[in-house]
Every structure is written in structure tokens, then in C-alpha cells.
Amino acid sequence: MIKAGLVVNPIAGMGGNVGLKGTDGGLFRKAIELGARPSSGERMREVLSLVTRKDLYFLCGPGAMGEDCLKGTGFEFRVVGKIGAETSAQDTKAVVREMLREGIRLLIFVGGDGTARDVLDVVGLDTPVIAVPAGVKMFSAAFAISAHAAAEMINTFGQAFTEKEILDIDEEAFRDNRLVAKPYGVVMVPDIQHLLQGKKTGSAVQGDVVDKKKEVARFIVENMVEDVLYILGPGTTLKTVTDALGLEKTLLGIDAVINGKLAGKDLNENQLLSLIEKFGKVKIIVTPIGGSGYIFGRGSRQISSKVLALAGKKNVMVASTLDKVGGLDCLRVDTGDYEVDRSISGKIPVIIGYKEEIIMEVKC
Amino acid sequence: MLIDLSSNENPYAPSCKVAEAAIQGLEGMNRYVEPEELHMLRKALGEYCGVGTERILPGPGTGYLLERVLCGLAVGRELVVLNPAFLSCLDLAARLCKRIVRLQLKPPSFEVDWTLPASGPALVILESPNNPTGQCLISREALKSLLKNEDCLVLIDEAGYEYAGKTFMDLIPDHPNLALCRTLDKAFGLAGLRVSWLVCGDAFMKALHMENVCLCRPALRAALAALEEQRAVLEEVKGVIEERERLKAALSQLGLEVFPSEANYLLVRSPRPDLGLLLRKRGILIADLSGQWFSGYFRISIGRPEEHQALATAVEDILRTEEGFMD
């Protein structure tokens, strides 16, 4: 039997129906006062009703955190952890941690972007997840697009996995009708794309995303020029570059490399400006945010309009994998300085493999 | 049984005569194909295309011929293709070419800026009609302009020629840097035997060993028999085109965005990005393009009327009854 974890965030989604745009920070009590009802358990039951494989043994959260969904489904399960009357992010983390100790192969959870961040904090890239959306904010690419897609992932998961982003949405801003999102991290999810390939697809799908990122990194590293400062934006694609150099990367921050060595870690705007002035020759390598395509102005504000003006478009390099960039109309830039944004606009090659590029348009 | 509308195959098998010719081709299977037999096929293919035998290079499938072209001509060149690309040879290209450049196709117009990003010698490989849009995306003027640059080789896969009825064949004699690829996989229904051929401009002829032909005898015999039936094949193509337009109307009515097509497939955009999965659960396979292109876009091959009926029923059922998380 395959051990799978199952966690429900019972309060996810409650803020939406009553117009609260989220339940972060204890707002769920207000949601209940306003008449909100839990819906995430229902969603998990819908997914479970479509699961056909019989070799799963579930470890689940107590009561509303999973147990209630599994009762009466016919699946074998055992409850791990303890919770009080009200559940919290700490409960989610504690339960998932316990499941990992018990050796789950896969974690299925239902919740929103907040739950996804809590889960990511514990599982990292080691254990794949299936993220069933039931929150108010579900902008993260990691979420399954339907009950069928989630069930199909459970029914067929094996060896093929792909990385998907989890976003950090500023809930205060969201209530104010502004979408302020930055990448929070990456989880592994089962890749069901391969189920939909016909007999003669050739290279329609690029194969393993992790391998493709390594190809991108190898190409970048092999073409690094001596005495040029390389500023590396956030994300796992660019982490593979530092991995290839044997260096450590700040996953969500900006690092700089020169002659194969770190010139700075988790740098802010001023530190970047000083480094560029010190070394003169510079290349800025960034990766677009999945879904929106932003390369500057979201998630990497340290690479400000001043930094970009100093470096110039010819020194901007973009790296990605085809599964991420191929679904974009264009790349976007929004640094707050229209003149700089315009100077970055136009066609730009995006490195998507070893000696492989796709030409994309940058818009502001 | 699975209804497979994902691979752009012809839903109709070739005639009994073609099948018999393939079976006869098994006789003497312990012997290699004779040069005379190969010459007969090249001659027949040349006559079908209206060009000299010397320009014809047959091979077992378009993928094989593209690899021949890459091995003979791609070293040191930049390979330019459109995205999405359905080329099985890109791994080889990555080893041989200076770099691979994809040009992103953007709906709904799919307009391509043919001003090449390549800085030096280039090899452009494209399909006309394009896969997956089904549209002919390069005009005669744009192609002629590309061909003016002698450092730029252009290979156009005309696998869907019989459906679109458009070709650049007449440009071959005057443009040494142009080659076309045709196949009997589609309209002639020989996908399982894999018979394709290049029609080469002079530069391609010089670089490729035109006499070095790799093809098995059953495929060769079937190809010769199929070419004799081209009138019947072209009649059948008319039926497929009519069926394509009927399917287009039916799917549009159900709420899918269906793009105009000149090929034996349709590009559709679904309000449900998981349409492929939901159809697969109902025993229908279509090609999901989201792995390398936009989410919610699918390519549907033209099949038999009863397969289209099953597809339309399933699509209607999905769009009416299935609930999505992101609705």
C-alpha cells in the first residue's frame, strides 16, 4: 500500500462567500459571525469520490482536518496529530510534519494560498503534493484546476513530477482590491500532462522539468564570461545556476556571482547598485513569474528601475522552462518607471534549454 | 474502445489494393530493396509533385528525413522553428545546431514576424498548413523574402498539402535553399508504414546523399499502389474537409472557440482547461497543447462522423454538467 497524507484546512474559503477575501490572521471568526459555512471538506469528498486506485492508505488530520472526509469512503486510514476546537496554521504544519515522519509518499491537501504556504514550509521539494483549491485566494499554479484533475493526479501518480509555484498574496492589499503577489516557493506535483499525449508527440512536451532547468543552467554557466558580474533573480530555475557553480542561492532573494564565486547574497537595491559600479560589466538573469509573466516589478523589486537603467536591456537575460513561458502571451515589466519599462520592452530571447531559446515580447 | 483524435491520422484505411501490395512486399523479405524499385518510387513521387526524379528523397517518415537534413546541413546553423513545435528531432538539433530559436505563436491571429532573429546561417523548419493551428502562416512573399538570403535554408513540411491544396512546389527549381517535405501518412492513410519524401532545392540536393534511400519493401510497394489511387484519395479528402467544417460548426455551437483550419485537424480553445482529461475519462483522446503552449488549447484530428458525434455529445455533457474549481 502507498501511504498518502490528507489534510483539510476546514476554514479555507470561508471568507470568500461573506466578502472577506481571506481568513488569514484570525478573520475566520468574523466570517462565521457573518454566516460563512465550511466548504473545503465537501471539496475533498468530491475529489475522493473520483479516486479509483485501491492501493492507497491514508494518514489524515483529525476530525474536520481530514478524518471526517475519509469516513464512509471505503479507504483505509489512520488519524495523526491532535487539534483543538479551532484549527490554525500551526495545526496544519504539525500534522503534516507528523505525516512526513511516518513516511508518506504524497500529500493531498485542500485549502488556499495560505494553506499551500504552510504545507510548503514543511514539505519543501521532498514530498510531492496535490493541492485542491478551496481558499479565497488560489493564485498559485500548484493548485489542481478541477476535481477531475486532482483525482487523476491521485489515480496515476508515479514517477513523473513537475514543479509548480506557490505565491504569497498580500491579504491586506487584496482586500483593498490590489493584487500584490510574490513567489513564495515551489512544490512538486504529479505531472498529468503526459496522460494527454498522443502516439506521435515528438518533443511536444519537454520531458522532465528538473532536467530541463539543469540544461538551462549548464548553458548559462558555460557561457559565463570572466570579470562580468551576474545578478541572479529569485526562483528555482536560477537556483540551478548556483547549484551548477557549487554555490548557495537565496531562493527568493537576489544574489550576485562573479568568476564562479559569490559576490553577494540576498542583495538589496543599494547593494546591487554598488556592485554594478564596482565591477562595471554586468548581466542580470531573471525568470518570469508563472502565469503573469512578470520579469521585473513583481517579486524582485530589488532589481529596481535604477538597477535596470544602469545595466541596460542588452544585459538582461531571461531563463525559464518551456512549460512555463510557452503559455504566456508576453513577458511583463512594471518597475514604476515607465521610461525604464519602455527601454526593456520589445523582443527578448528566453533561454529554455541548452542552446535553445524562445523569442518573447516584453510589454509594459 | 478509445476514440483517438489526437494524432492527425486518417480515420480511413487505404484500399484493399494498397494492403495487397504491402503484403506482396513481404515476399523476398530476406533481400534488400533493389535500386530499381527505389527508382520507381522516386519517379512516381516526382510525377505526383510535378518535379524531376533527381529532386526526390524518400524515407521512412518525416521525422527521419528531418534528421537527415539536420545531419547534412544543420552544423553551425541556427535552427528556427515556431512554438509549439511537433518535431521529434529537436534533441538532435540541440547537439548539431548553433542554437534553436522558437518563435511564439500567439492566438487569435497567429501572425508571425518572419524577420529572422538568427544572426548567421539559419535553417528554418515550418509546416504549411501549420500544426496545430491548421493555417498557412507564411505567405509566398514572406517566403521569397526569406529565400533571398542564401545563408538561410528553408524546409517546409507540407504534410497537410492534400487538405489545404496549397504548395510552394513551383518555387523549388529557382530556389536552391528551399525544400519541401510531403508524406503518404495523412491523406493516403499510410501512417503505419511511414512513407515521406523530400523535394529538394539544389542546395539540399548537394548536401544530402540522394541515392541513399532507406525504405522497406512493403512500404515501398504500398506507396506505389497508393499513388495509383490518387484520384480516389483526393475525393476522400473532400469528404474529410466537409466533415471538418461540420465538426467546426458543432463544436462552436457547444461553446468552444474553433479556429479556421485548412488541415485535417482543428485547433480549439475550451473554457475548461481540463477538457482533455474529462474527454479521456469518457474514452476520447485529443491533443492537449498546454505542456508547451497556452492552457485550454487543444488540437482535434478529423475522424469519422460517428466519432465526432461521440465527441460532441461528450463536450456538451462536460460543458453543461462538470463543475470546475476555478469557475
Side-chain angles (χ1 to χ4, degrees):
Chain A
M1 297 291 271
I2 296 167
K3 260 191 212 172
L6 186 144
V7 175
V8 175
N9 174 2
I11 63 166
M14 287 176 69
N17 294 342
V18 290
L20 284 180
K21 299 184 178 175
T23 49
D24 293 2
L27 267 179
F28 75 95
R29 284 193 205 94
K30 191 173 176 188
I32 291 170
E33 279 170 27
L34 290 167
R37 293 272 169 275
S39 59
S40 51
E42 199 52 49
R43 186 141 278 181
M44 183 61 94
R45 274 188 286 275
E46 185 190 356
V47 172
L48 288 172
S49 73
L50 298 164
V51 174
T52 51
R53 74 192 282 171
K54 304 289 180 210
D55 58 349
L56 295 174
Y57 178 80
F58 286 103
L59 298 182
C60 64
M65 281 192 75
E67 183 184 2
D68 295 349
C69 298
L70 279 161
K71 277 182 184 164
T73 57
F75 288 108
E76 282 186 57
F77 66 93
R78 181 160 59 79
V79 177
V80 297
K82 285 190 183 123
I83 52 168
E86 284 178 5
T87 59
S88 67
Q90 293 317 313
D91 289 322
T92 305
K93 289 183 184 182
V95 165
V96 173
R97 212 171 278 126
E98 182 64 26
M99 289 172 174
L100 292 181
R101 262 199 294 275
E102 298 237 15
I104 53 164
R105 288 257 309 276
L106 173 89
L107 175 70
I108 305 155
F109 72 89
V110 57
D113 284 316
T115 319
R117 291 196 297 276
D118 295 336
V119 166
L120 169 64
D121 286 345
V122 184
V123 302
L125 281 169
D126 296 331
T127 305
V129 303
I130 293 172
V132 180
V136 175
K137 304 174 297 302
M138 301 163 297
F139 296 102
S140 302
F143 285 111
I145 51 174
S146 69
H148 283 280
E152 205 64 9
M153 285 181 187
I154 299 171
N155 287 331
T156 60
F157 89 89
Q159 301 302 319
F161 298 98
T162 182
E163 290 179 9
K164 293 284 181 185
E165 274 174 342
I166 285 176
L167 296 178
D168 189 3
I169 311 289
D170 182 336
E171 199 162 284
E172 283 297 317
F174 191 61
R175 278 193 202 94
D176 200 22
N177 278 328
R178 288 178 294 123
L179 181 59
V180 180
K182 59 182 182 188
Y184 185 78
V186 168
V187 285
M188 301 297 284
V189 302
D191 182 7
I192 50 170
Q193 188 61 34
H194 68 281
L195 297 173
L196 297 171
Q197 302 312 311
K199 284 170 277 191
K200 192 172 150 284
T201 52
S203 56
V205 173
Q206 274 207 324
D208 190 78
V209 172
V210 177
D211 287 346
K212 215 64 199 177
K213 282 186 182 175
K214 285 182 184 162
E215 263 188 42
V216 169
R218 187 162 65 92
F219 182 71
I220 290 172
V221 169
E222 281 182 17
N223 287 283
M224 278 184 163
V225 177
E226 212 174 313
D227 296 334
V228 172
L229 179 76
Y230 287 87
I231 292 172
L232 303 173
T236 53
T237 306
L238 298 176
K239 184 179 176 300
T240 53
V241 173
T242 47
D243 286 350
L245 290 166
L247 304 171
E248 204 182 312
K249 171 96 183 76
T250 314
L251 194 54
L252 297 175
I254 315 294
D255 298 338
V257 169
I258 187 163
N259 297 331
K261 295 197 172 92
L262 273 177
K265 272 185 68 92
D266 205 5
L267 300 160
N268 61 29
E269 180 190 17
N270 284 336
Q271 289 168 318
L272 289 171
L273 290 169
S274 315
L275 280 174
I276 296 172
E277 273 165 21
K278 182 179 169 190
F279 292 108
K281 286 183 265 181
V282 64
K283 294 273 180 195
I284 298 172
I285 314 180
V286 286
T287 187
I289 294 179
S292 63
Y294 278 100
I295 50 172
F296 297 113
R298 302 276 193 280
S300 58
R301 288 197 169 271
Q302 304 93 316
I303 306 175
S304 64
S305 54
K306 277 188 194 168
V307 174
L308 285 170
L310 201 56
K313 184 184 180 182
K314 67 178 190 303
N315 291 315
V316 170
M317 294 165 70
V318 186
S320 182
T321 45
L322 186 58
D323 69 314
K324 190 157 124 181
V325 78
L328 297 172
D329 258 339
C330 63
L331 302 179
R332 292 181 190 281
V333 53
D334 177 22
T335 63
D337 182 329
Y338 186 65
E339 282 309 308
V340 170
D341 291 352
R342 264 190 33 174
S343 73
I344 303 290
S345 299
K347 287 182 183 177
I348 196 163
V350 179
I351 303 164
I352 54 168
Y354 190 80
K355 294 198 294 186
E356 188 172 0
E357 296 171 354
I358 183 166
I359 307 295
M360 298 291 292
E361 196 176 350
V362 181
K363 286 185 179 170
C364 62
Chain B
M1 203 165 110
L2 196 70
I3 297 176
D4 189 348
L5 301 175
S6 71
S7 303
N8 297 349
E9 293 157 324
N10 187 333
Y12 305 103
S15 75
C16 293
K17 272 190 182 171
V18 176
E20 279 163 18
I23 292 164
Q24 281 166 15
L26 291 171
E27 284 171 21
M29 68 170 93
N30 54 320
R31 300 291 179 190
Y32 290 116
V33 173
E34 296 287 342
E36 291 76 25
E37 294 175 278
L38 290 169
H39 181 76
M40 274 172 65
L41 178 65
R42 291 178 70 193
K43 188 164 175 282
L45 292 170
E47 282 165 7
Y48 176 60
C49 295
V51 296
T53 307
E54 72 284 359
R55 295 196 183 277
I56 303 288
L57 176 60
T62 300
Y64 165 86
L65 290 167
L66 294 189
E67 287 185 5
R68 284 276 294 265
V69 169
L70 287 174
C71 290
L73 287 155
V75 176
R77 285 181 190 274
E78 299 193 359
L79 175 66
V80 180
V81 297
L82 296 176
N83 190 65
F86 299 88
L87 300 169
S88 55
C89 60
L90 284 181
D91 282 344
L92 178 66
R95 286 197 284 274
L96 297 176
C97 298
K98 202 168 148 198
R99 65 169 181 158
I100 302 170
V101 183
R102 293 178 184 240
L103 307 178
Q104 175 80 323
L105 276 181
K106 281 190 286 185
S109 70
F110 309 112
E111 267 173 39
V112 182
D113 177 0
W114 292 105
T115 321
L116 283 194
S119 47
L123 169 63
V124 182
I125 300 182
L126 58 106
E127 300 124 337
S128 188
N130 165 264
N131 182 6
T133 64
Q135 299 178 18
C136 298
L137 300 178
I138 188 161
S139 67
R140 187 161 282 259
E141 294 68 37
L143 176 59
K144 279 184 173 176
S145 167
L146 272 182
L147 292 169
K148 271 185 198 155
N149 176 359
E150 284 176 11
D151 256 356
C152 175
L153 300 174
V154 181
L155 171 57
I156 301 180
D157 180 0
E158 291 190 339
Y161 156 72
E162 286 81 5
Y163 301 101
K166 294 176 183 170
T167 179
F168 296 110
M169 196 63 74
D170 58 302
L171 298 181
I172 289 281
D174 297 330
H175 295 87
N177 46 346
L178 174 66
L180 304 178
C181 192
R182 294 273 189 91
T183 185
L184 299 181
D185 286 6
K186 309 294 181 189
F188 287 84
L190 294 191
L193 290 176
R194 310 306 308 270
V195 182
S196 298
W197 67 99
L198 289 174
V199 183
C200 298
D202 293 350
F204 283 84
M205 283 172 69
K206 268 182 206 156
L208 303 172
H209 300 283
M210 301 295 283
E211 303 300 324
N212 181 8
V213 176
C214 166
L215 213 58
C216 70
R217 189 174 285 114
L220 186 148
R221 292 284 172 86
L224 283 169
L227 285 165
E228 280 177 18
E229 297 186 348
Q230 49 187 278
R231 199 168 289 173
V233 165
L234 296 179
E235 274 306 308
E236 191 183 273
V237 162
K238 279 185 199 163
V240 170
I241 291 170
E242 283 167 19
E243 196 52 44
R244 178 188 73 203
E245 294 309 304
R246 269 195 291 274
L247 180 64
K248 181 171 181 278
L251 295 177
S252 301
Q253 209 164 21
L254 291 173
L256 298 185
E257 184 179 358
V258 190
F259 295 88
S261 168
E262 295 187 78
N264 61 330
Y265 44 85
L266 288 169
L267 176 71
V268 304
R269 186 163 83 95
S270 162
R272 297 283 317 232
D274 55 351
L275 180 71
L277 269 180
L278 296 166
L279 283 173
R280 186 175 163 274
K281 286 185 86 74
R282 289 164 171 79
I284 300 170
L285 198 61
I286 61 172
D288 183 346
L289 303 167
S290 63
Q292 61 168 336
W293 207 41
F294 297 91
S295 174
Y297 283 79
F298 301 89
R299 190 194 61 204
I300 302 174
S301 311
I302 303 306
R304 294 166 179 267
E306 63 271 24
E307 292 173 328
H308 293 174
Q309 186 55 53
L311 173 71
T313 304
V315 168
E316 186 178 18
D317 185 38
I318 288 163
L319 295 183
R320 203 181 46 200
T321 61
E322 295 279 355
E323 280 184 25
F325 289 156
M326 303 306 189
D327 290 351

